Amino acid sequence: AVSHIKQVCEVFKTGDNLLVDGVAGLVTLNPKNLTEEKFEKQKRAFRSKWECAKKKSHTIATTKSGKHIRVGANVGCLEDSLMASDNGADCIGLYRLEHIYLKRNTLPSSEELYCALKEAISPFADKSITIRLLDIGADKELDFLDYPIEPNPVVGRRGIRFLLDRRELMSTQIKVLLRLAQQFDIRILVPMVTIAEDILSVICEVEKAATDLGIDKLPPLGAMVETPAAALCINSISQHCNFLSIGTNDLTQYTMAAGRENLSVSEYYLERHPAMLRLLKLIVEESETDDISVCGNLAARTDSLAELVELGISCFSVPPPAIPIVKEEIRNLHS
Ligand code: PEP
Ligand code: MG
C-alpha cells in the first residue's frame, strides 16, 4: 500500500489506471504501455524472489561470515501471529498490546485480556514472545479513557508516563503477563522509557504483582529505546533491564524533531540520518546488556541491514510479510 498521498481524491478519478508500488512508495497515474510492462516485469521478479525466500524462511538467517541473526515479528492479533509463524518468524519481537484495547469500547477485564492474548500468541507456544505494555497517547488514543488535555501530546503523557498515572491499568496487564509467563516464554517490554526511574517503577509493579499472585520466577524485563535521552544515557537504563528494543519510528521523530505522521516535514523524518546512526552506535556500545533488537520500520528496510548488523544488532523485529525477504537479505550480507 501507499499512503499519505496529498489531495488523493482530486488527483485520482474513478476509472483511472494506477500502478501502485508499495515497496518504493510510488503511484503512477495512467501509465504508458511501456511503464506498465516494466512494472509487470518488476512484479513478477519480486514475487519470484519472495517465493524463493519463503522456502528458506523457517531456518535461522546466518550472514556469510557466520553471524546468526534472529528475525522476529511485530504483531497485534492472531492473524498477524499466524502469518508471522507461516513466514518463519523466529520469535514475536514486539506484541503491540494496544490493538486489543483499540478494538473495544470498554477496558478489558483481566480475564478478557488473558484470553485474547493467549489466543493471539498461541502460534508461538515454543518461541520467545516480547509483549509491550500498553503504549497509548499521542497517535494511539482510546476513546473510552480519560486523557489529560495536553498542548502537545507527542511529548506529553504517553506510553509508560500514562501508565504511571493509571497504576491499576498497568497492574492488570502485568498480572496477565505473569500468568501467561507460566506457560509461554514471555518478556515484558516497557514503552517510551526516558529515564531510569520509568523502568524502576515498573520493576516495583512487577514485584508487587508477583507477590500478589504467589509467583517467584519473574519474566525478563526490557525497555523500548525511543527517545534521545534514553539512547544517550542508555547505561543508566540498561543496568535495570534484561534486554532492549530500539523503536526507530519514535526515535527518528524525537531525534529529527519531525512528527512521524506530519507529511509537511517528511523530508526531515530520516530514519538513516547520521544523527540516528550515531545514537544506534552509542546504544550498542554503552548498553549493559547485549540483548538488543530493532523493532521500528528501519528493521525492515533492506538498505539498512548491513549497517545495523555491522553495529552489532543481532535481532530484528519486522511486520510479518517482510520476514522472508529480510532473512534472505541477511543471508547475502558479508558482515
Ligand atoms: C517505534 O517507535 O519504533 C515502535 C516500534 O513503536 P510504535 O511504532 O508502536 O510506536
Ligand atoms: Mg514507539
Side-chain angles (χ1 to χ4, degrees):
V2 176
S3 68
H4 285 86
I5 299 172
K6 279 186 197 161
Q7 292 154 337
V8 66
C9 299
E10 285 145 50
V11 179
F12 303 138
K13 300 276 178 287
T14 304
D16 276 343
N17 185 18
L18 303 181
L19 298 183
V20 180
D21 181 349
V23 177
L26 279 179
V27 178
T28 312
L29 175 61
N30 296 325
K32 302 224 162 49
N33 281 350
L34 214 62
T35 314
E36 204 161 350
E37 271 168 35
K38 207 172 125 206
F39 188 80
E40 280 303 323
K41 218 164 126 190
Q42 244 176 338
K43 219 168 83 176
R44 279 196 299 275
F46 180 81
R47 187 169 299 269
S48 100
K49 184 176 166 187
W50 197 90
E51 276 159 11
C52 249
K54 172 90 193 313
K55 283 192 191 128
K56 293 186 258 169
S57 70
H58 288 265
T59 51
I60 186 105
T62 305
T63 65
K64 290 202 188 300
S65 65
K67 278 186 202 149
H68 299 304
I69 309 289
R70 282 153 50 83
V71 180
N74 294 347
V75 305
C77 59
L78 176 63
E79 291 72 21
D80 289 349
S81 295
L82 288 170
M83 192 200 289
S85 170
D86 185 47
N87 282 349
D90 299 315
C91 58
I92 292 183
L94 171 63
Y95 191 102
R96 288 184 166 106
L97 208 51
E98 20 326 329
H99 291 226
I100 292 179
Y101 287 73
L102 285 165
K103 274 200 253 165
R104 301 175 48 98
N105 298 318
T106 54
L107 279 176
S109 67
S110 167
E111 206 48 35
E112 284 170 334
L113 183 58
Y114 175 82
C115 293
L117 256 178
K118 188 174 172 190
E119 186 189 35
I121 61 177
S122 56
F124 284 79
D126 55 349
K127 298 204 168 102
S128 162
I129 303 166
T130 300
I131 302 183
R132 181 172 73 184
L133 298 178
L134 193 59
D135 180 18
I136 48 165
D139 56 321
K140 312 171 192 106
E141 296 222 335
L142 296 178
D143 296 338
F144 51 87
L145 276 185
D146 269 349
Y147 285 97
I149 308 274
E150 295 180 298
N152 198 348
V154 178
V155 285
R157 228 153 167 99
R158 54 163 299 200
I160 185 56
R161 301 170 180 187
F162 182 76
L163 295 178
L164 290 173
D165 274 353
R166 303 291 298 260
R167 297 280 177 145
E168 74 300 339
L169 197 62
M170 171 154 61
S171 130
T172 304
Q173 293 163 50
I174 290 174
K175 284 186 177 157
V176 164
L177 298 186
L178 289 178
R179 281 175 66 199
L180 287 168
Q182 305 307 300
Q183 309 162 52
F184 296 90
D185 181 6
I186 300 284
R187 311 196 309 167
I188 301 177
L189 181 59
V190 185
M192 191 65 188
V193 171
T194 316
I195 52 177
E197 285 72 12
D198 290 335
I199 206 84
L200 289 170
S201 305
V202 178
I203 292 174
C204 282
E205 286 295 331
V206 172
E207 285 170 353
K208 218 164 22 174
T211 309
D212 286 354
L213 295 174
I215 290 172
D216 318 315
K217 198 173 159 281
L218 303 184
L221 186 78
M224 287 285 289
V225 187
E226 42 190 356
T227 65
L232 291 166
C233 293
I234 197 62
N235 55 347
S236 68
I237 289 169
S238 60
Q239 64 182 286
H240 307 295
C241 294
N242 303 103
F243 68 96
L244 299 175
S245 187
I246 308 176
T248 51
N249 305 338
D250 277 313
L251 189 58
T252 305
Q253 139 166 287
Y254 294 124
T255 302
M256 303 305 295
R260 59 194 273 187
E261 306 215 310
N262 186 347
L263 245 199
S264 71
V265 286
S266 58
E267 74 270 35
Y268 292 97
Y269 187 88
L270 301 170
E271 297 167 307
R272 300 181 64 215
H273 188 275
M276 283 294 292
L277 297 174
R278 285 179 78 172
L279 283 181
L280 296 179
K281 186 163 186 279
L282 196 126
I283 296 167
V284 174
E285 283 174 358
E286 299 198 0
S287 165
E288 299 273 328
T289 169
D290 56 10
D291 187 341
I292 306 175
S293 62
V294 172
C295 65
N297 289 339
L298 184 64
R301 279 183 59 167
T302 49
D303 56 354
S304 300
L305 290 171
E307 228 156 12
L308 297 178
V309 169
E310 205 64 55
L311 281 180
I313 302 292
S314 58
C315 181
F316 296 92
S317 192
V318 303
I323 295 163
I325 296 283
V326 168
K327 282 195 165 187
E328 188 59 14
E329 296 288 335
I330 290 170
R331 289 191 186 99
N332 292 329
L333 296 180
H334 290 275
S335 327

